[in-house]
Amino acid sequence: MVVCRRPSSAPESEELVKKIRQGLVGGVLPTRCEMPGIQFLPFSVLLGILGVLCVGLTGFWGRHWLGGFAWDGSSEMFNWHPVLMVTGMLVLYGSAALVYRVPLSWGGPKLPWKLLHAALTLAAFILAVLGLVAVFEFHNNKKIPNMYSLHSWLGLTAVLLFSCQWLMGLASFLLPWAPIWLRAFYKPIHVFFGSAILSLVMAACISGINEKLFFQLSPAAPHTWLWLCSSALLEWPAVQGGATGTARQAEQQPQPAGLLARKNSTTPYSKLPSEAWFANILGMLILIYGLLVLWALAVSAWKRPDANSQDIQETLEKTL
């Protein structure tokens, strides 16, 4: 159990507490807390290594098994989608959520840490938008339907909630428009949706990896059969012209990525080829990273000891 108590009642300490309560000086009431068994510094190093692994392995998957990267509407452009999403919505977003757990943020004004939190989340949002551009451009170029899978629903929901979360945080905690009571009321809501969005991101990443593996390695992906059936129906009037003409027309039809992947794959997903092992391990690392971030957010001893509302009043107006 974590125990936090005020320092000894020395005259200097009591005077500092009085000034903080009266708003004469910035900062928070000093406390002395016993940290949990795991210290924050080694934990943050471990988390940083996991984050680098998640990004690096995602990029290696795209380079080694999926054909590399490009920005031309091809399948290589799609490969930017998982890299950008994992980098932005998982690693950068998780790092931004833990800014206020850094012990250096416990003393002094909170505004610099607010600005760092806002900058990291803004960078994550920009990468997420680029990731969405990559996948939509690829789908539109290859005539693949958009927003039909559970993965796409989870991902877009996370991005939309994230954009609302960032705008509300900017308006409530940085700009001097919102009254103090509204900031105090919205703060726990902001914290809750921060964890909820990260949970959605984890679900979207794992479902996206699984979906890509099915399209890449399965003998028959769902939209492969859809393409075959639609091609047959469209070409039915030409059957009387002979099978050769029909086959030639079928070859000229644009083929979705699932069919191309099915033709190029040699071992089905159910046989666990090396790519399946690699991507499954990547999914587990993503899950571990997200769960560790959520656990760190729940450790009370790592929370900034906000004993007054002075930090809620700190906005950009104070520095302008």
Side-chain angles (χ1 to χ4, degrees), residues 72-147:
D72 53 4
S74 63
S75 58
E76 286 77 19
M77 182 176 181
F78 169 85
N79 295 339
W80 281 111
H81 172 69
V83 174
L84 292 171
M85 287 302 187
V86 169
T87 305
M89 292 296 291
L90 183 78
V91 177
L92 280 183
Y93 183 71
S95 302
L98 294 179
V99 161
Y100 301 121
R101 301 304 187 266
V102 178
L104 291 175
S105 70
W106 291 8
K110 194 175 183 180
L111 182 59
W113 301 96
K114 289 183 179 181
L115 294 174
L116 177 60
H117 178 77
L120 287 174
T121 50
L122 179 60
F125 178 72
I126 292 173
L127 293 181
V129 170
L130 291 176
L132 291 179
V133 171
V135 67
F136 280 116
E137 185 70 18
F138 165 70
H139 279 191
N140 295 335
N141 190 48
K142 299 295 182 181
K143 312 300 182 188
I144 299 175
N146 291 308
M147 301 303 301

Side-chain angles (χ1 to χ4, degrees), residues 52 109 156 159 165 168 174 177 192 216 251-252 267 287 292 308:
V52 172
L156 191 61
V159 173
Q165 173 92 334
M168 287 296 296
L174 279 179
W177 300 339
F192 166 77
Q216 185 79 359
E251 292 175 357
Q252 296 173 356
T267 307
L287 179 64
L292 285 178
N308 58 19

